[in-house]
Amino acid sequence: MAMVASPQNHSGFQAGGTRRPELVVALDTPSLAKAEEWVKSLAGLVHWFKVGLELYTAAGPAALQLPPKYGGYVFWDAKLHDIPHTVAEAARQAVRAGVKMLTVHAAGGPAMVAAAVAACREEAAVQGRTPPLVVAVTVLTSLSTETLVQLGLGADPARIGAMWALLAVDAGADGVVAAVPDVAKIRAQVGRRALIVTPGIRPAGGPGTGAATDGPDDQVRVATPAAARAAGSDFVVVGRPITRAKDPVQAALSILTELGEPG
Ligand code: C5P
């Protein structure tokens, strides 16, 4: 079983270390029953499960109760992005729901990030819980350089990612979500003050190795699990390569193998 740092204690997470990154499985499905099947079969191997927009929109807060039912931790990828007050109140609800990690968009600005962090701390104190890790999404891994240029953000996603990451971390975020190719630049900016969560992971193996998808799907800036670790990721988020595999348990095992020894 993979060793897991306790989310009860933030200092248990050592950002930018040489440890094997935590594997987070993205429960991307509209079906609560399907998500439960995945959590049930993977809970012995994987401790973190991500509830994203699809499942949450379909199943509501019940989705957040699934991982804890099987001893897992819930990462609510809510990608909150609104005025600070609205984001803070949503973050408060996340604490009440027992969420251990929550995403907000760094693009919402430092005041919004700070409001989310403050609300999490305040509500956690009321509930007698440890506040969830608030993680800021920088540049979506699905955005190509061309799209970034179209959006007026320039042609250097790593530079934007590093800039937004620093703003979010200075505003109190515990970590950031970023594409693997951007990790080095972000780490240089934030040092070990922040956890780095990387989606866009595709196993090195092709068909028959547990890799469900032969290509990157809609992800543009992808990396292998080993490359994510070498870059210094603290958490890797994997969806389709596990959930669309014929055998999700085997696929998760093979990704854990690719991630290497716990270290
Ligand atoms: O199926 P796949 O492995 O591509 O899933 C990646 C997951 O990570 C999805 O749930 C997606 O919403 C999420 N994510 C991402 N890029 C970000 C932030 C989150 O792909 N920048």
Side-chain angles (χ1 to χ4, degrees), residues 36-139:
E36 181 153 14
E37 201 181 287
W38 291 335
V39 175
K40 202 170 171 179
S41 62
L42 292 165
L45 275 180
V46 179
H47 291 78
W48 285 88
F49 295 92
K50 186 173 86 69
V51 173
L53 298 177
E54 183 182 7
L55 182 59
Y56 191 83
T57 307
L64 303 178
Q65 304 310 320
L66 261 190
K69 191 171 160 189
Y70 294 93
Y73 306 139
V74 63
F75 171 178
W76 185 26
D77 192 9
K79 291 200 176 68
L80 300 176
H81 188 173
D82 208 317
I83 58 170
H85 174 76
T86 304
V87 166
E89 293 314 304
R92 207 179 288 285
Q93 298 311 318
V95 178
R96 290 189 186 149
V99 164
K100 300 285 184 207
M101 194 184 309
L102 169 71
T103 52
V104 298
H105 269 288
M112 189 207 80
V113 174
V117 171
C120 281
R121 291 190 183 153
E122 238 177 68
E123 189 59 31
V126 171
Q127 305 289 331
R129 295 185 173 156
T130 301
L133 296 161
V134 175
V135 173
V137 176
T138 58
V139 180

Side-chain angles (χ1 to χ4, degrees), residues 26 28 50 77 79 140-141 177 199 202 219 237-241:
D28 291 333
K50 186 173 86 69
D77 192 9
K79 291 200 176 68
L140 293 174
T141 41
V177 181
R202 290 297 176 267
Q219 298 284 18
V237 177
V238 184
R240 288 161 289 185

